[in-house]
């Protein structure tokens, strides 16, 4: 309950900041009257959305689907890789080293390659989202799995625990705060990946909508897409944070006002 | 007494046999500056049902020795045998208490106590009653569903002792378990540990740097020196049991304490004056 209460408090703060920004923006546009092609007023953007809500929502849905699919795949792949890396010197030296090397390449630049390999359907977009999101999942999960109190491992070994039991009952729960830190970064990267994919080879999605609107110098339409992207990114981030609160009621960051008994 | 007897079902014959035999044990660590001798030429027999303290300054390898007995640290030379059989990894029916309580924050107190059974593949239903009884025995009734961070240091360490006792170990290894507690809580837990030992007669190896604590609890006190870690003397403590805390003010107790202090002083570990 506390988690839900705190989220509504946070939501209220966000709404307040957003409302203030919109009012300033609207007032600024009405006073200085820049051409609509440079900066449309919020009211113009809103009426643009109301003009074709189906169009925008359909493209949003497609981008959302790509993002969530890429995010989900990067969790599955990332956790598996991280567990492998922590338990195998060989995987650490090969996969981990390769991942770190790959991460220093600007990955967005690899996007066209995926289109050549996979065509222009859903697959290359999901693949690009995974490529962008995977790294932070792996890095933070590896970090979490490794930063275990050695005495906890001794405790388990003294009870003749198996490696799998140690992973399941000690390493993974202990790594959860770190894993969620990685997931919060990954969800944003997955969205970036989906948009990049749609830029490079898209016939649908918000990335495509932005690109076509740009071709027609339809600035309000670009802004509607951007606003929808912003909302989507925020909602996705808070969804991950909400999942974190549900999963980690025991963690220091979630304990709130509770005090130890003395 | 009777409730505890039910709690601790394993009744073993009162034979003075050697439970742990350590012979010519060396433990050498590799370090960037070359090998470091942590333990050198340790010879030590621990009898069945005996309470032995290992006492020494920090860096004398007493915790390392305990981890060797636990099968958690490989040894470099010599042998450790349990009932005559060479040690290969952590033995069955061993319980261990660490300096920090190492309770898992994501588990309730009851689930923390039960984790040892989970690791050993024992069904929860079989041991949950016993876990609750142990917690009650250690004054933690009503805290079963709390999380570790809601408890004080003393309560947490009690829970850690319950966890070690859950599977009714024959051998209880304790690594400075009360070192991080305040003096009053420490006295309290000393009395409780002495009572538990009196009732269940487990073989206990208790690592400490507290002289009074070692004398109060033990049948024998093994004194160690450092660089390299080695046994310098073993003192038999012939004080009657059960021992009340006030035994620490008796002349006999004082003589043991003086003897131990003088020995450490002669080694340059304690300075007198």
């Amino acid at each position: 309950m506390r988690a839900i209460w705190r989220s509504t408090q946070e939501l209220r703060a966000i709404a307040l900041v957003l409302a203030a920004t919109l009012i300033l923006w609207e007032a600024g546009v009405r006073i200085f009257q820049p051409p609509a092609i440079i900066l449309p007023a919020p009211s113009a953007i809103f009426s643009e959305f109301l003009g074709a809500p189906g169009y925008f929502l359909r493209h949003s849905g497609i981008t959302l689907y790509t993002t969530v699919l890429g995010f989900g795949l990067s969790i599955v792949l990332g956790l598996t890789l991280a567990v492998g890396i922590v338990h195998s010197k060989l995987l650490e030296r090969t996969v981990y080293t390769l991942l770190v090397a790959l991460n220093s390449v600007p990955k967005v630049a690899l996007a066209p390659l995926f289109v050549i390999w996979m065509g222009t359907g859903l697959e290359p977009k999901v693949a690009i989202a995974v490529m962008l999101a995977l790294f932070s999942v792996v890095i933070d999960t590896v970090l979490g799995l490794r930063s275990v109190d050695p005495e906890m491992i001794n405790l388990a070994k003294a009870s003749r625990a198996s490696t799998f039991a140690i992973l399941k009952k000690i390493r993974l729960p202990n790594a959860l705060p770190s894993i969620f830190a990685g997931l919060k970064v990954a969800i944003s990267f997955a969205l970036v990946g989906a948009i990049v994919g749609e830029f490079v080879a898209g016939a649908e999605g918000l990335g495509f909508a932005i690109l076509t609107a740009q071709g027609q110098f339809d600035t309000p339409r670009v802004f509607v897409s951007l606003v929808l992207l912003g909302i989507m990114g925020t909602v996705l981030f808070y969804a991950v944070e909400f999942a974190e609160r549900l999963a980690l009621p025991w963690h220091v960051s979630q304990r709130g006002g509770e005090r130890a008994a003395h | 007494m009777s409730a505890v007897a039910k709690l601790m079902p394993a009744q073993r014959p009162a034979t003075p046999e050697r439970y742990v035999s350590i012979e010519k044990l060396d433990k050498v660590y590799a370090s960037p500056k070359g090998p470091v001798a942590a333990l050198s030429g340790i010879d030590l027999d621990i009898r069945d049902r005996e309470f032995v303290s290992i006492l020494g300054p920090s860096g004398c390898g007493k915790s390392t020795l305990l981890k060797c007995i636990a099968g958690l640290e490989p040894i470099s030379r010599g042998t450790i045998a349990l009932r005559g059989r060479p040690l290969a990894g952590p033995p069955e029916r061993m319980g261990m208490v660490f300096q920090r309580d190492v309770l898992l924050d994501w588990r309730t107190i009851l689930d923390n106590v039960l984790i040892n059974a989970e690791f050993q593949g024992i069904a929860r239903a079989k041991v949950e009653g016993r876990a609750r009884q142990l917690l009650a025995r250690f004054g933690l009734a009503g805290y079963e569903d709390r999380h570790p961070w809601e408890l004080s240091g003393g309560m947490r360490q009690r829970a850690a002792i319950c966890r070690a006792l859950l599977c009714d170990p024959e051998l209880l290894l304790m690594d400075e378990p009360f070192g991080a507690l305040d003096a009053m809580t420490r006295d309290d837990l000393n009395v409780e540990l002495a009572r538990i030992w009196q009732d269940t007669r487990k073989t206990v190896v208790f690592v400490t740097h507290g002289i009074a604590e070692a004398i109060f609890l033990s049948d024998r006190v093994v004194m160690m020196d450092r660089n390299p870690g080695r046994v310098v003397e073993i003192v038999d403590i012939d004080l009657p049991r059960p021992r009340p805390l006030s035994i620490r003010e008796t002349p006999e107790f004082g003589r043991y304490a003086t003897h131990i202090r003088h020995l450490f002083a002669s080694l340059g570990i304690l300075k007198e004056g």
Side-chain angles (χ1 to χ4, degrees), chain B residues 127-244:
Chain B
V127 284
E128 191 181 322
R130 182 181 158 78
R132 287 181 187 278
Q133 271 177 293
L134 273 170
L135 284 169
R137 171 81 173 75
F138 277 85
L140 290 171
Y143 290 93
E144 294 88 350
D145 298 327
R146 298 293 196 91
H147 281 86
W149 72 82
E150 299 176 277
L151 270 58
S152 68
M155 293 161 94
R156 293 176 62 124
Q157 198 55 277
R158 281 166 211 262
I161 293 172
C162 293
R163 178 179 61 196
L165 292 175
L166 179 70
C167 296
D168 192 28
E170 289 179 353
L171 177 63
L172 185 59
L173 303 180
M174 307 181 88
D175 187 3
E176 295 190 45
F178 310 140
L181 303 177
D182 62 273
M184 263 155 54
T185 311
R186 189 179 186 147
D187 283 355
D188 206 27
L189 280 166
N190 275 334
V191 172
E192 241 166 297
L193 179 60
R195 196 159 46 212
I196 278 280
W197 180 81
Q198 195 87 30
D199 292 345
T200 62
R201 286 305 188 97
K202 299 183 182 311
T203 307
V204 182
V205 185
F206 186 91
V207 167
T208 179
H209 53 237
I211 295 174
E213 186 175 67
I215 301 169
F216 176 76
L217 289 168
S218 311
D219 296 320
R220 285 192 299 157
V221 175
V222 178
M223 290 189 281
M224 290 183 69
D225 191 11
R226 60 193 161 198
N227 300 326
R230 61 193 186 279
V231 174
V232 285
E233 194 182 321
I234 299 176
V235 183
D236 284 289
I237 309 292
D238 282 318
L239 292 171
R241 285 186 192 266
R243 300 171 184 168

Side-chain angles (χ1 to χ4, degrees), chain A residues 46-125:
Chain A
F46 191 60
S47 56
E48 172 76 25
F49 172 72
L50 288 184
Y55 171 84
F56 288 110
L57 289 180
R58 190 175 72 82
H59 287 295
S60 299
I62 286 157
T63 304
L64 182 67
Y65 180 67
T66 311
T67 305
V68 171
L69 203 62
F71 179 62
L73 276 175
S74 64
I75 293 177
V76 174
L77 204 63
L79 291 187
T80 313
L81 280 175
V83 168
I85 287 165
V86 168
H87 285 92
S88 148
K89 266 267 173 299
L90 180 74
L91 281 182
E92 186 190 342
R93 289 199 186 129
T94 52
V95 176
Y96 198 56
T97 314
L98 198 72
L99 263 175
V100 173
L102 209 68
N103 192 51
S104 53
V105 178
K107 276 165 291 180
V108 175
L110 299 177
L113 210 53
F114 282 82
V115 179
I116 297 175
W117 289 337
M118 298 175 173
T120 54
L122 179 67
E123 297 87 351
K125 291 157 194 113

Side-chain angles (χ1 to χ4, degrees), chain B residues 70-89:
Chain B
L72 294 171
E73 281 274 2
I75 60 177
S76 308
R77 274 179 295 275
T79 55
I80 299 180
L82 232 78
R83 290 195 192 281
R85 290 169 61 186
L87 194 69

Side-chain angles (χ1 to χ4, degrees), chain A residues 28-239:
Chain A
V29 170
R30 289 196 182 203
I31 294 164
F32 300 109
Q33 301 202 326
I37 197 170
I38 302 294
L39 186 67
S43 54
I45 295 168
F46 191 60
S47 56
E48 172 76 25
F49 172 72
L50 288 184
Y55 171 84
F56 288 110
L57 289 180
R58 190 175 72 82
H59 287 295
S60 299
I62 286 157
T63 304
L64 182 67
Y65 180 67
T66 311
T67 305
V68 171
L69 203 62
F71 179 62
L73 276 175
S74 64
I75 293 177
V76 174
L77 204 63
L79 291 187
T80 313
L81 280 175
V83 168
I85 287 165
V86 168
H87 285 92
S88 148
K89 266 267 173 299
L90 180 74
L91 281 182
E92 186 190 342
R93 289 199 186 129
T94 52
V95 176
Y96 198 56
T97 314
L98 198 72
L99 263 175
V100 173
L102 209 68
N103 192 51
S104 53
V105 178
K107 276 165 291 180
V108 175
L110 299 177
L113 210 53
F114 282 82
V115 179
I116 297 175
W117 289 337
M118 298 175 173
T120 54
L122 179 67
E123 297 87 351
K125 291 157 194 113
V126 173
I128 294 164
V130 170
M131 180 178 66
L132 285 179
L134 184 66
F135 188 72
S136 55
V137 178
V138 174
I139 294 289
D140 281 338
T141 307
V142 167
L143 180 77
L145 291 174
R146 282 206 181 129
S147 28
V148 179
D149 183 346
E151 221 59 323
M152 281 187 190
I153 303 295
N154 276 337
L155 166 80
K157 284 189 176 158
S159 299
R160 306 152 64 88
S162 65
T163 307
F164 179 71
I166 294 177
L167 174 67
K168 189 177 139 202
K169 292 182 192 291
I170 294 187
R171 283 192 195 273
L172 268 179
N174 185 71
L176 271 182
S178 185
I179 292 174
F180 270 104
L183 293 188
K184 282 194 264 186
V185 177
I187 188 72
S188 309
F189 273 130
L191 184 58
V192 172
I195 293 296
V196 168
E198 288 162 4
F199 276 173
V200 178
E204 44 188 7
L206 283 177
F208 168 78
I210 291 172
L211 223 58
T212 48
Q214 178 232 311
Q216 297 156 9
F217 287 92
D218 189 344
T219 314
R221 190 131 59 92
V222 173
F223 267 98
V224 174
S225 305
L226 289 177
V227 169
L228 287 172
L229 262 180
I231 292 172
M232 201 187 296
T234 310
V235 169
L236 285 173
F237 180 85
Y238 279 99

